[in-house]
Amino acid sequence: MAIEPFRIAIPEADLDDLRVRLARARLPDDLEDAGWRYGMPSSALRDVLAYWRDGYDWRAQEARLAAFPQFTTEAAGERVHFFHVRSPEPDAVPLVLTHGWPGSPVEFLGVMGPLADPRAHGGDPADAFHVVCPSMPGYGFSGPTTRPGVDVHRVADAVAALMRQLGYERYVAQGGDWGALVTRRLGEAYADRLLGVHLNMGFAMPDDLAAPEAWEGVTDEEKAAFAEAGARIADGTGYMAIQSTKPNTLGLGLNDSPAGLAGWILEKFHAWSDLRPDGRLESVYALDDLLTNVMQYWWTGTAASAARLYCESARAGTAATDPWRGRVDVPTGFARYPRELLQTPRAWMERRYRLVHFAQMERGGHFAAFEQPEAFVRDLRAFARILRQETPS
């Protein structure tokens, strides 16, 4: 399949249908003073739905997305939709950004411009990247997937094939969440094509956490952060259990109800983001941006196929919770954000990756580029400068 230009153009009838569904949403009662302890409160979702129906301007968001060049192709046997923002700088470094769940390329809208054209954003043109940002197979306008077996390794194969189709023989790969696992796989299976990998979620768990050697080189501060993060997410993995076992059953509801879809996704943004000090989503995100991310799943009917990535990876033994005994020998950068789900100690990363850059970020959580775009850009540029020093001209 050839690379084809793509433009999002949602029919007006679909917008009308969405408004009707939002107006007819039936929400359960809240428990008194329960807050978010049982999941997303109906009171919070009710406000979101009212704005979504009466204040949110999809056409403006559609135009915002259209400002970035988009394309579709077939890669590793899967349909792939992607943004491709070429830098005006002739020596720009190719970079692929891979999102996770429940995200989309919308997470990167605030960083693609500064990464591709630092000169226009007050930066050094030597830091420029050619930016490629795919929707993972099964997600958004890449989906839905139509056959079994699309696990995280297949996604990595698709990303590698896409970059080769674009003519990028050597490039930097960056990711968090599933994107971190895709990027890790690229570092293992396609090391000869990579200049480096950069992660904002570190998957490098020791085989046995109870073994004393597992904690060698780990600081007291890192031990405390790891324990605190574990306690914070102890009751927050039910989504993973259902998506890893019966994703289609879940998808029946999410594909039919925009209210249900928004509740399922926004609860995770609330739980996984750095919302200090007031705990409000609005303190970090614009509601328009959160809804535009939800729309990537709604318009495309991909809630079920996105969830299937968990199931397919669990069945293939490539899921986030499966043991990994590999190693990434390409230069690696790791930015640890303080409210990330995994507070991976630096020593663990050094054992499994050729770590050449480490940054302890001041603010931010699971959705690094979405939450802290300026810090994300600065850190990625700093990593690329190290790569330039290591790579002969």
Side-chain angles (χ1 to χ4, degrees), residues 280-310:
R280 298 171 61 250
L281 278 169
E282 298 88 333
S283 67
V284 174
Y285 302 104
L287 186 51
D288 281 352
D289 292 341
L290 291 174
L291 289 174
T292 299
N293 178 66
V294 172
M295 287 290 216
Q296 307 306 294
Y297 294 81
W298 179 254
W299 293 136
T300 58
T302 53
S305 65
R308 278 201 298 270
L309 181 58
Y310 286 80

PDB file of all heavy atoms in Angstrom, residues 280-310:
ATOM      1  N   ARG A 280      -7.226  18.694  40.208  1.00  0.00           N
ATOM      2  CA  ARG A 280      -8.215  18.945  39.165  1.00  0.00           C
ATOM      3  C   ARG A 280      -7.592  18.741  37.785  1.00  0.00           C
ATOM      4  O   ARG A 280      -6.499  19.245  37.503  1.00  0.00           O
ATOM      5  CB  ARG A 280      -8.764  20.366  39.279  1.00  0.00           C
ATOM      6  CG  ARG A 280      -9.488  20.652  40.580  1.00  0.00           C
ATOM      7  CD  ARG A 280      -9.820  22.123  40.742  1.00  0.00           C
ATOM      8  NE  ARG A 280     -10.697  22.610  39.670  1.00  0.00           N
ATOM      9  CZ  ARG A 280     -10.311  23.440  38.718  1.00  0.00           C
ATOM     10  NH1 ARG A 280      -9.060  23.880  38.664  1.00  0.00           N
ATOM     11  NH2 ARG A 280     -11.161  23.835  37.799  1.00  0.00           N
ATOM     12  N   LEU A 281      -8.293  18.023  36.911  1.00  0.00           N
ATOM     13  CA  LEU A 281      -7.822  17.841  35.545  1.00  0.00           C
ATOM     14  C   LEU A 281      -7.592  19.179  34.854  1.00  0.00           C
ATOM     15  O   LEU A 281      -6.636  19.350  34.085  1.00  0.00           O
ATOM     16  CB  LEU A 281      -8.836  17.017  34.742  1.00  0.00           C
ATOM     17  CG  LEU A 281      -8.783  15.503  34.902  1.00  0.00           C
ATOM     18  CD1 LEU A 281     -10.019  14.866  34.270  1.00  0.00           C
ATOM     19  CD2 LEU A 281      -7.517  14.939  34.279  1.00  0.00           C
ATOM     20  N   GLU A 282      -8.467  20.142  35.137  1.00  0.00           N
ATOM     21  CA  GLU A 282      -8.402  21.429  34.463  1.00  0.00           C
ATOM     22  C   GLU A 282      -7.156  22.227  34.835  1.00  0.00           C
ATOM     23  O   GLU A 282      -6.830  23.220  34.169  1.00  0.00           O
ATOM     24  CB  GLU A 282      -9.649  22.256  34.780  1.00  0.00           C
ATOM     25  CG  GLU A 282     -10.954  21.631  34.298  1.00  0.00           C
ATOM     26  CD  GLU A 282     -11.562  20.689  35.339  1.00  0.00           C
ATOM     27  OE1 GLU A 282     -10.814  20.121  36.168  1.00  0.00           O
ATOM     28  OE2 GLU A 282     -12.791  20.521  35.318  1.00  0.00           O
ATOM     29  N   SER A 283      -6.456  21.817  35.912  1.00  0.00           N
ATOM     30  CA  SER A 283      -5.248  22.528  36.289  1.00  0.00           C
ATOM     31  C   SER A 283      -4.072  22.171  35.385  1.00  0.00           C
ATOM     32  O   SER A 283      -3.059  22.865  35.381  1.00  0.00           O
ATOM     33  CB  SER A 283      -4.887  22.221  37.750  1.00  0.00           C
ATOM     34  OG  SER A 283      -4.519  20.857  37.909  1.00  0.00           O
ATOM     35  N   VAL A 284      -4.201  21.083  34.618  1.00  0.00           N
ATOM     36  CA  VAL A 284      -3.129  20.623  33.744  1.00  0.00           C
ATOM     37  C   VAL A 284      -3.545  20.620  32.280  1.00  0.00           C
ATOM     38  O   VAL A 284      -2.760  20.979  31.398  1.00  0.00           O
ATOM     39  CB  VAL A 284      -2.656  19.210  34.157  1.00  0.00           C
ATOM     40  CG1 VAL A 284      -1.642  18.645  33.172  1.00  0.00           C
ATOM     41  CG2 VAL A 284      -2.071  19.246  35.557  1.00  0.00           C
ATOM     42  N   TYR A 285      -4.779  20.218  32.013  1.00  0.00           N
ATOM     43  CA  TYR A 285      -5.233  20.021  30.634  1.00  0.00           C
ATOM     44  C   TYR A 285      -6.342  21.009  30.281  1.00  0.00           C
ATOM     45  O   TYR A 285      -7.179  21.350  31.124  1.00  0.00           O
ATOM     46  CB  TYR A 285      -5.808  18.619  30.452  1.00  0.00           C
ATOM     47  CG  TYR A 285      -4.878  17.490  30.772  1.00  0.00           C
ATOM     48  CD1 TYR A 285      -5.005  16.774  31.961  1.00  0.00           C
ATOM     49  CD2 TYR A 285      -3.878  17.107  29.874  1.00  0.00           C
ATOM     50  CE1 TYR A 285      -4.169  15.709  32.258  1.00  0.00           C
ATOM     51  CE2 TYR A 285      -3.041  16.041  30.161  1.00  0.00           C
ATOM     52  CZ  TYR A 285      -3.185  15.350  31.356  1.00  0.00           C
ATOM     53  OH  TYR A 285      -2.357  14.301  31.638  1.00  0.00           O
ATOM     54  N   ALA A 286      -6.391  21.381  29.023  1.00  0.00           N
ATOM     55  CA  ALA A 286      -7.575  22.038  28.481  1.00  0.00           C
ATOM     56  C   ALA A 286      -8.600  20.953  28.170  1.00  0.00           C
ATOM     57  O   ALA A 286      -8.263  19.904  27.608  1.00  0.00           O
ATOM     58  CB  ALA A 286      -7.220  22.811  27.210  1.00  0.00           C
ATOM     59  N   LEU A 287      -9.847  21.171  28.551  1.00  0.00           N
ATOM     60  CA  LEU A 287     -10.881  20.169  28.312  1.00  0.00           C
ATOM     61  C   LEU A 287     -11.028  19.873  26.824  1.00  0.00           C
ATOM     62  O   LEU A 287     -11.306  18.726  26.435  1.00  0.00           O
ATOM     63  CB  LEU A 287     -12.210  20.633  28.916  1.00  0.00           C
ATOM     64  CG  LEU A 287     -13.368  19.630  28.883  1.00  0.00           C
ATOM     65  CD1 LEU A 287     -12.973  18.281  29.450  1.00  0.00           C
ATOM     66  CD2 LEU A 287     -14.578  20.203  29.623  1.00  0.00           C
ATOM     67  N   ASP A 288     -10.833  20.872  25.978  1.00  0.00           N
ATOM     68  CA  ASP A 288     -10.872  20.634  24.535  1.00  0.00           C
ATOM     69  C   ASP A 288      -9.872  19.557  24.132  1.00  0.00           C
ATOM     70  O   ASP A 288     -10.167  18.690  23.302  1.00  0.00           O
ATOM     71  CB  ASP A 288     -10.561  21.921  23.774  1.00  0.00           C
ATOM     72  CG  ASP A 288     -11.755  22.863  23.687  1.00  0.00           C
ATOM     73  OD1 ASP A 288     -12.862  22.462  24.079  1.00  0.00           O
ATOM     74  OD2 ASP A 288     -11.567  23.998  23.228  1.00  0.00           O
ATOM     75  N   ASP A 289      -8.658  19.616  24.700  1.00  0.00           N
ATOM     76  CA  ASP A 289      -7.630  18.646  24.345  1.00  0.00           C
ATOM     77  C   ASP A 289      -8.010  17.244  24.808  1.00  0.00           C
ATOM     78  O   ASP A 289      -7.813  16.258  24.084  1.00  0.00           O
ATOM     79  CB  ASP A 289      -6.289  19.041  24.961  1.00  0.00           C
ATOM     80  CG  ASP A 289      -5.709  20.305  24.359  1.00  0.00           C
ATOM     81  OD1 ASP A 289      -6.131  20.669  23.241  1.00  0.00           O
ATOM     82  OD2 ASP A 289      -4.848  20.930  24.993  1.00  0.00           O
ATOM     83  N   LEU A 290      -8.531  17.133  26.021  1.00  0.00           N
ATOM     84  CA  LEU A 290      -8.945  15.822  26.528  1.00  0.00           C
ATOM     85  C   LEU A 290     -10.051  15.229  25.658  1.00  0.00           C
ATOM     86  O   LEU A 290     -10.029  14.034  25.339  1.00  0.00           O
ATOM     87  CB  LEU A 290      -9.424  15.953  27.975  1.00  0.00           C
ATOM     88  CG  LEU A 290      -8.353  16.282  29.017  1.00  0.00           C
ATOM     89  CD1 LEU A 290      -9.010  16.534  30.365  1.00  0.00           C
ATOM     90  CD2 LEU A 290      -7.315  15.168  29.122  1.00  0.00           C
ATOM     91  N   LEU A 291     -11.001  16.050  25.261  1.00  0.00           N
ATOM     92  CA  LEU A 291     -12.104  15.548  24.442  1.00  0.00           C
ATOM     93  C   LEU A 291     -11.632  15.202  23.036  1.00  0.00           C
ATOM     94  O   LEU A 291     -12.123  14.241  22.432  1.00  0.00           O
ATOM     95  CB  LEU A 291     -13.229  16.576  24.394  1.00  0.00           C
ATOM     96  CG  LEU A 291     -13.997  16.743  25.709  1.00  0.00           C
ATOM     97  CD1 LEU A 291     -15.001  17.887  25.609  1.00  0.00           C
ATOM     98  CD2 LEU A 291     -14.723  15.452  26.085  1.00  0.00           C
ATOM     99  N   THR A 292     -10.684  15.960  22.503  1.00  0.00           N
ATOM    100  CA  THR A 292     -10.162  15.627  21.173  1.00  0.00           C
ATOM    101  C   THR A 292      -9.456  14.280  21.210  1.00  0.00           C
ATOM    102  O   THR A 292      -9.514  13.506  20.238  1.00  0.00           O
ATOM    103  CB  THR A 292      -9.230  16.735  20.675  1.00  0.00           C
ATOM    104  OG1 THR A 292      -9.988  17.957  20.586  1.00  0.00           O
ATOM    105  CG2 THR A 292      -8.659  16.415  19.308  1.00  0.00           C
ATOM    106  N   ASN A 293      -8.794  13.976  22.308  1.00  0.00           N
ATOM    107  CA  ASN A 293      -8.199  12.650  22.466  1.00  0.00           C
ATOM    108  C   ASN A 293      -9.285  11.572  22.514  1.00  0.00           C
ATOM    109  O   ASN A 293      -9.189  10.542  21.842  1.00  0.00           O
ATOM    110  CB  ASN A 293      -7.354  12.598  23.737  1.00  0.00           C
ATOM    111  CG  ASN A 293      -6.756  11.236  23.970  1.00  0.00           C
ATOM    112  OD1 ASN A 293      -5.918  10.755  23.226  1.00  0.00           O
ATOM    113  ND2 ASN A 293      -7.224  10.571  25.024  1.00  0.00           N
ATOM    114  N   VAL A 294     -10.345  11.799  23.284  1.00  0.00           N
ATOM    115  CA  VAL A 294     -11.453  10.838  23.346  1.00  0.00           C
ATOM    116  C   VAL A 294     -12.066  10.641  21.964  1.00  0.00           C
ATOM    117  O   VAL A 294     -12.430   9.524  21.567  1.00  0.00           O
ATOM    118  CB  VAL A 294     -12.523  11.304  24.356  1.00  0.00           C
ATOM    119  CG1 VAL A 294     -13.765  10.416  24.290  1.00  0.00           C
ATOM    120  CG2 VAL A 294     -11.959  11.303  25.773  1.00  0.00           C
ATOM    121  N   MET A 295     -12.157  11.723  21.210  1.00  0.00           N
ATOM    122  CA  MET A 295     -12.757  11.651  19.876  1.00  0.00           C
ATOM    123  C   MET A 295     -11.987  10.712  18.945  1.00  0.00           C
ATOM    124  O   MET A 295     -12.576  10.144  18.015  1.00  0.00           O
ATOM    125  CB  MET A 295     -12.814  13.051  19.251  1.00  0.00           C
ATOM    126  CG  MET A 295     -13.862  13.970  19.849  1.00  0.00           C
ATOM    127  SD  MET A 295     -15.537  13.465  19.420  1.00  0.00           S
ATOM    128  CE  MET A 295     -16.342  15.059  19.245  1.00  0.00           C
ATOM    129  N   GLN A 296     -10.680  10.551  19.155  1.00  0.00           N
ATOM    130  CA  GLN A 296      -9.920   9.637  18.303  1.00  0.00           C
ATOM    131  C   GLN A 296     -10.466   8.215  18.413  1.00  0.00           C
ATOM    132  O   GLN A 296     -10.426   7.449  17.448  1.00  0.00           O
ATOM    133  CB  GLN A 296      -8.434   9.648  18.683  1.00  0.00           C
ATOM    134  CG  GLN A 296      -7.788  11.018  18.719  1.00  0.00           C
ATOM    135  CD  GLN A 296      -7.973  11.806  17.434  1.00  0.00           C
ATOM    136  OE1 GLN A 296      -7.460  11.435  16.382  1.00  0.00           O
ATOM    137  NE2 GLN A 296      -8.696  12.915  17.517  1.00  0.00           N
ATOM    138  N   TYR A 297     -10.970   7.865  19.568  1.00  0.00           N
ATOM    139  CA  TYR A 297     -11.560   6.547  19.779  1.00  0.00           C
ATOM    140  C   TYR A 297     -13.019   6.504  19.328  1.00  0.00           C
ATOM    141  O   TYR A 297     -13.478   5.500  18.775  1.00  0.00           O
ATOM    142  CB  TYR A 297     -11.487   6.171  21.268  1.00  0.00           C
ATOM    143  CG  TYR A 297     -10.093   5.982  21.803  1.00  0.00           C
ATOM    144  CD1 TYR A 297      -9.305   7.062  22.184  1.00  0.00           C
ATOM    145  CD2 TYR A 297      -9.552   4.707  21.944  1.00  0.00           C
ATOM    146  CE1 TYR A 297      -8.028   6.890  22.689  1.00  0.00           C
ATOM    147  CE2 TYR A 297      -8.273   4.518  22.455  1.00  0.00           C
ATOM    148  CZ  TYR A 297      -7.515   5.613  22.823  1.00  0.00           C
ATOM    149  OH  TYR A 297      -6.245   5.427  23.317  1.00  0.00           O
ATOM    150  N   TRP A 298     -13.739   7.611  19.567  1.00  0.00           N
ATOM    151  CA  TRP A 298     -15.167   7.615  19.254  1.00  0.00           C
ATOM    152  C   TRP A 298     -15.422   7.576  17.749  1.00  0.00           C
ATOM    153  O   TRP A 298     -16.170   6.742  17.250  1.00  0.00           O
ATOM    154  CB  TRP A 298     -15.857   8.832  19.871  1.00  0.00           C
ATOM    155  CG  TRP A 298     -17.317   8.864  19.526  1.00  0.00           C
ATOM    156  CD1 TRP A 298     -17.943   9.680  18.646  1.00  0.00           C
ATOM    157  CD2 TRP A 298     -18.312   7.962  20.033  1.00  0.00           C
ATOM    158  NE1 TRP A 298     -19.278   9.371  18.558  1.00  0.00           N
ATOM    159  CE2 TRP A 298     -19.539   8.315  19.405  1.00  0.00           C
ATOM    160  CE3 TRP A 298     -18.304   6.919  20.943  1.00  0.00           C
ATOM    161  CZ2 TRP A 298     -20.729   7.645  19.675  1.00  0.00           C
ATOM    162  CZ3 TRP A 298     -19.489   6.248  21.214  1.00  0.00           C
ATOM    163  CH2 TRP A 298     -20.679   6.617  20.574  1.00  0.00           C
ATOM    164  N   TRP A 299     -14.801   8.481  17.010  1.00  0.00           N
ATOM    165  CA  TRP A 299     -15.073   8.552  15.567  1.00  0.00           C
ATOM    166  C   TRP A 299     -14.701   7.258  14.862  1.00  0.00           C
ATOM    167  O   TRP A 299     -15.339   6.886  13.876  1.00  0.00           O
ATOM    168  CB  TRP A 299     -14.295   9.692  14.922  1.00  0.00           C
ATOM    169  CG  TRP A 299     -14.680  11.083  15.299  1.00  0.00           C
ATOM    170  CD1 TRP A 299     -13.830  12.100  15.606  1.00  0.00           C
ATOM    171  CD2 TRP A 299     -15.997  11.644  15.396  1.00  0.00           C
ATOM    172  NE1 TRP A 299     -14.530  13.241  15.896  1.00  0.00           N
ATOM    173  CE2 TRP A 299     -15.867  12.989  15.769  1.00  0.00           C
ATOM    174  CE3 TRP A 299     -17.276  11.121  15.215  1.00  0.00           C
ATOM    175  CZ2 TRP A 299     -16.956  13.837  15.958  1.00  0.00           C
ATOM    176  CZ3 TRP A 299     -18.367  11.962  15.395  1.00  0.00           C
ATOM    177  CH2 TRP A 299     -18.205  13.287  15.760  1.00  0.00           C
ATOM    178  N   THR A 300     -13.692   6.588  15.339  1.00  0.00           N
ATOM    179  CA  THR A 300     -13.144   5.432  14.630  1.00  0.00           C
ATOM    180  C   THR A 300     -13.660   4.106  15.156  1.00  0.00           C
ATOM    181  O   THR A 300     -13.337   3.056  14.597  1.00  0.00           O
ATOM    182  CB  THR A 300     -11.611   5.449  14.734  1.00  0.00           C
ATOM    183  OG1 THR A 300     -11.237   5.443  16.123  1.00  0.00           O
ATOM    184  CG2 THR A 300     -11.034   6.697  14.068  1.00  0.00           C
ATOM    185  N   GLY A 301     -14.437   4.126  16.227  1.00  0.00           N
ATOM    186  CA  GLY A 301     -14.943   2.883  16.806  1.00  0.00           C
ATOM    187  C   GLY A 301     -13.831   1.942  17.230  1.00  0.00           C
ATOM    188  O   GLY A 301     -13.930   0.723  17.024  1.00  0.00           O
ATOM    189  N   THR A 302     -12.778   2.486  17.851  1.00  0.00           N
ATOM    190  CA  THR A 302     -11.601   1.669  18.154  1.00  0.00           C
ATOM    191  C   THR A 302     -11.408   1.399  19.641  1.00  0.00           C
ATOM    192  O   THR A 302     -10.328   0.952  20.049  1.00  0.00           O
ATOM    193  CB  THR A 302     -10.330   2.324  17.586  1.00  0.00           C
ATOM    194  OG1 THR A 302     -10.251   3.688  18.036  1.00  0.00           O
ATOM    195  CG2 THR A 302     -10.306   2.282  16.075  1.00  0.00           C
ATOM    196  N   ALA A 303     -12.415   1.638  20.467  1.00  0.00           N
ATOM    197  CA  ALA A 303     -12.248   1.333  21.895  1.00  0.00           C
ATOM    198  C   ALA A 303     -11.927  -0.139  22.101  1.00  0.00           C
ATOM    199  O   ALA A 303     -11.059  -0.490  22.909  1.00  0.00           O
ATOM    200  CB  ALA A 303     -13.509   1.718  22.665  1.00  0.00           C
ATOM    201  N   ALA A 304     -12.602  -1.021  21.376  1.00  0.00           N
ATOM    202  CA  ALA A 304     -12.386  -2.461  21.554  1.00  0.00           C
ATOM    203  C   ALA A 304     -11.040  -2.886  20.973  1.00  0.00           C
ATOM    204  O   ALA A 304     -10.287  -3.638  21.615  1.00  0.00           O
ATOM    205  CB  ALA A 304     -13.517  -3.251  20.906  1.00  0.00           C
ATOM    206  N   SER A 305     -10.705  -2.431  19.767  1.00  0.00           N
ATOM    207  CA  SER A 305      -9.449  -2.876  19.165  1.00  0.00           C
ATOM    208  C   SER A 305      -8.248  -2.281  19.894  1.00  0.00           C
ATOM    209  O   SER A 305      -7.183  -2.918  19.964  1.00  0.00           O
ATOM    210  CB  SER A 305      -9.403  -2.534  17.672  1.00  0.00           C
ATOM    211  OG  SER A 305      -9.391  -1.145  17.451  1.00  0.00           O
ATOM    212  N   ALA A 306      -8.382  -1.083  20.449  1.00  0.00           N
ATOM    213  CA  ALA A 306      -7.306  -0.530  21.266  1.00  0.00           C
ATOM    214  C   ALA A 306      -7.097  -1.381  22.515  1.00  0.00           C
ATOM    215  O   ALA A 306      -5.962  -1.700  22.883  1.00  0.00           O
ATOM    216  CB  ALA A 306      -7.614   0.916  21.641  1.00  0.00           C
ATOM    217  N   ALA A 307      -8.197  -1.751  23.161  1.00  0.00           N
ATOM    218  CA  ALA A 307      -8.099  -2.605  24.345  1.00  0.00           C
ATOM    219  C   ALA A 307      -7.514  -3.971  24.003  1.00  0.00           C
ATOM    220  O   ALA A 307      -6.856  -4.602  24.833  1.00  0.00           O
ATOM    221  CB  ALA A 307      -9.464  -2.755  24.993  1.00  0.00           C
ATOM    222  N   ARG A 308      -7.747  -4.442  22.781  1.00  0.00           N
ATOM    223  CA  ARG A 308      -7.234  -5.763  22.391  1.00  0.00           C
ATOM    224  C   ARG A 308      -5.715  -5.838  22.409  1.00  0.00           C
ATOM    225  O   ARG A 308      -5.147  -6.936  22.491  1.00  0.00           O
ATOM    226  CB  ARG A 308      -7.738  -6.154  20.995  1.00  0.00           C
ATOM    227  CG  ARG A 308      -9.128  -6.743  20.992  1.00  0.00           C
ATOM    228  CD  ARG A 308      -9.381  -7.569  19.732  1.00  0.00           C
ATOM    229  NE  ARG A 308      -9.309  -6.803  18.507  1.00  0.00           N
ATOM    230  CZ  ARG A 308     -10.342  -6.180  17.943  1.00  0.00           C
ATOM    231  NH1 ARG A 308     -11.539  -6.233  18.519  1.00  0.00           N
ATOM    232  NH2 ARG A 308     -10.193  -5.521  16.806  1.00  0.00           N
ATOM    233  N   LEU A 309      -5.030  -4.703  22.320  1.00  0.00           N
ATOM    234  CA  LEU A 309      -3.577  -4.734  22.403  1.00  0.00           C
ATOM    235  C   LEU A 309      -3.130  -5.363  23.721  1.00  0.00           C
ATOM    236  O   LEU A 309      -2.125  -6.071  23.773  1.00  0.00           O
ATOM    237  CB  LEU A 309      -3.007  -3.322  22.262  1.00  0.00           C
ATOM    238  CG  LEU A 309      -1.485  -3.197  22.314  1.00  0.00           C
ATOM    239  CD1 LEU A 309      -0.810  -4.041  21.225  1.00  0.00           C
ATOM    240  CD2 LEU A 309      -1.061  -1.730  22.193  1.00  0.00           C
ATOM    241  N   TYR A 310      -3.878  -5.103  24.793  1.00  0.00           N
ATOM    242  CA  TYR A 310      -3.577  -5.731  26.077  1.00  0.00           C
ATOM    243  C   TYR A 310      -3.744  -7.246  25.988  1.00  0.00           C
ATOM    244  O   TYR A 310      -2.891  -8.012  26.451  1.00  0.00           O
ATOM    245  CB  TYR A 310      -4.493  -5.176  27.165  1.00  0.00           C
ATOM    246  CG  TYR A 310      -4.163  -3.775  27.606  1.00  0.00           C
ATOM    247  CD1 TYR A 310      -4.567  -2.670  26.861  1.00  0.00           C
ATOM    248  CD2 TYR A 310      -3.448  -3.548  28.772  1.00  0.00           C
ATOM    249  CE1 TYR A 310      -4.266  -1.383  27.274  1.00  0.00           C
ATOM    250  CE2 TYR A 310      -3.150  -2.269  29.193  1.00  0.00           C
ATOM    251  CZ  TYR A 310      -3.552  -1.186  28.436  1.00  0.00           C
ATOM    252  OH  TYR A 310      -3.241   0.092  28.845  1.00  0.00           O
TER     253      TYR A 310
END
